[in-house]
Amino acid sequence: MSTYQDTVQKLGKNTATILEQLWESVQRGELPQADFAQMAAQVVYLANEQGRAAAQAALNGYVEIATGIPSVPVAQTATVTTGELARLEKAIGTILAADQDTLMQLARLGNSEPLDSAARGFSEGIRTNGKVKGWIRQLEPGACELCQWLYADGRIWPADYPIQTHKGCVCNPLPTFADRELSVPYSKFLNRNGVKK
C-alpha cells in the first residue's frame, strides 16, 4: 500500500525525470531552448498542484479515520497563478544562465517543488480544518538528523504551526485531535503580532 510520503516522493522523482528528459531533448536539438523554460515551468506547476491534492487527500483520510465521519473533498480553486508560473520560469531561467550542472539543478528543482507544495498544502489544510487540534511530525524513513531533531520526541504542535521542512524532505504532519490548548513560541509570536488563530 502506498503512503502519502511514498506518493509525494514518487511525484518529485517523476517531475525531476520529466525535466531531465525535456532538457536532453534541448541538448539533442529536438526542442528549442527558447521554449524550454515555459514548458518546464508548466510541468512543475502541474506537479505542485498534484502535491497539494495529495496532501488534501491524505489529510481527509486522517480526519475520516479519527472522526468516523467521511470528509467531503474540498474543491480547490486554482491556488497557483500566473505569478507562480512566472516565478518558476524565472527559476528555470536562472538555472539555464548559471555556469553549473544544469541537469542536476533542474532535477533538484523538479524534485523539491512538488514536495514543498505538498508540505505547505498539508499545513494549510491542518490549520483550516477545524477538527484537527495539532500535529506530530511524521518522519520519513531514514530521516536526516535535522528532521529527527525537529521531531522533538513526538511533540504535539498546534494546528496553526506550519511544519518545517528542507529541500527534498517528505516528513509530514500527523494530525492529532486532542481537545487541549497547545502553545509553542510560534503561536505566542502570532498572538503578540495580532494574528488571529
Side-chain angles (χ1 to χ4, degrees):
M1 181 171 81
S2 179
T3 66
Y4 164 76
Q5 290 178 341
D6 294 334
T7 300
V8 294
Q9 195 163 40
K10 186 175 180 181
L11 176 61
K13 287 179 181 177
N14 288 346
T15 306
T17 299
I18 292 169
L19 292 188
E20 290 170 338
Q21 291 170 344
L22 282 173
W23 182 245
E24 287 166 358
S25 294
V26 171
Q27 297 298 95
R28 290 191 304 267
E30 300 166 357
L31 176 67
Q33 185 168 338
D35 297 337
F36 174 78
Q38 184 178 22
M39 288 180 71
Q42 290 173 350
V43 166
V44 176
Y45 169 92
L46 291 173
N48 287 353
E49 285 295 299
Q50 290 175 322
R52 284 186 273 271
Q56 183 65 50
L59 177 59
N60 285 349
Y62 285 126
V63 172
E64 285 180 25
I65 290 168
T67 64
I69 301 168
S71 291
V72 177
V74 177
Q76 295 195 358
T77 57
T79 54
V80 183
T81 63
T82 53
E84 184 159 346
L85 273 174
R87 177 188 67 80
L88 292 168
E89 282 186 45
K90 183 177 179 183
I92 292 164
T94 301
I95 289 171
L96 299 180
D99 188 23
Q100 295 179 12
D101 184 342
T102 303
L103 203 57
M104 180 272 301
Q105 290 184 80
L106 288 170
R108 186 184 306 165
L109 178 82
N111 185 60
S112 64
E113 274 285 331
L115 300 182
D116 291 347
S117 292
R120 286 190 306 271
F122 214 128
S123 285
E124 180 62 15
I126 283 177
R127 186 184 71 76
T128 60
N129 179 272
K131 295 180 181 109
V132 178
K133 305 299 181 187
W135 58 270
I136 299 167
R137 185 182 195 87
Q138 183 170 350
L139 296 172
E140 66 177 293
C144 69
E145 190 175 327
L146 173 62
C147 289
Q148 290 177 33
W149 180 80
L150 289 168
Y151 174 68
D153 295 322
R155 182 177 191 167
I156 299 174
W157 301 92
D160 64 349
Y161 189 93
I163 190 167
Q164 304 298 308
T165 60
H166 57 80
K167 297 297 179 195
C169 180
V170 293
C171 293
N172 64 281
L174 181 63
T176 62
F177 300 86
D179 276 334
R180 58 190 164 109
E181 181 66 28
L182 302 167
S183 181
V184 295
Y186 179 81
S187 295
K188 291 176 185 173
F189 173 79
L190 287 178
N191 292 336
R192 260 199 326 265
N193 288 296
V195 178
K196 294 182 181 180
K197 291 186 187 181

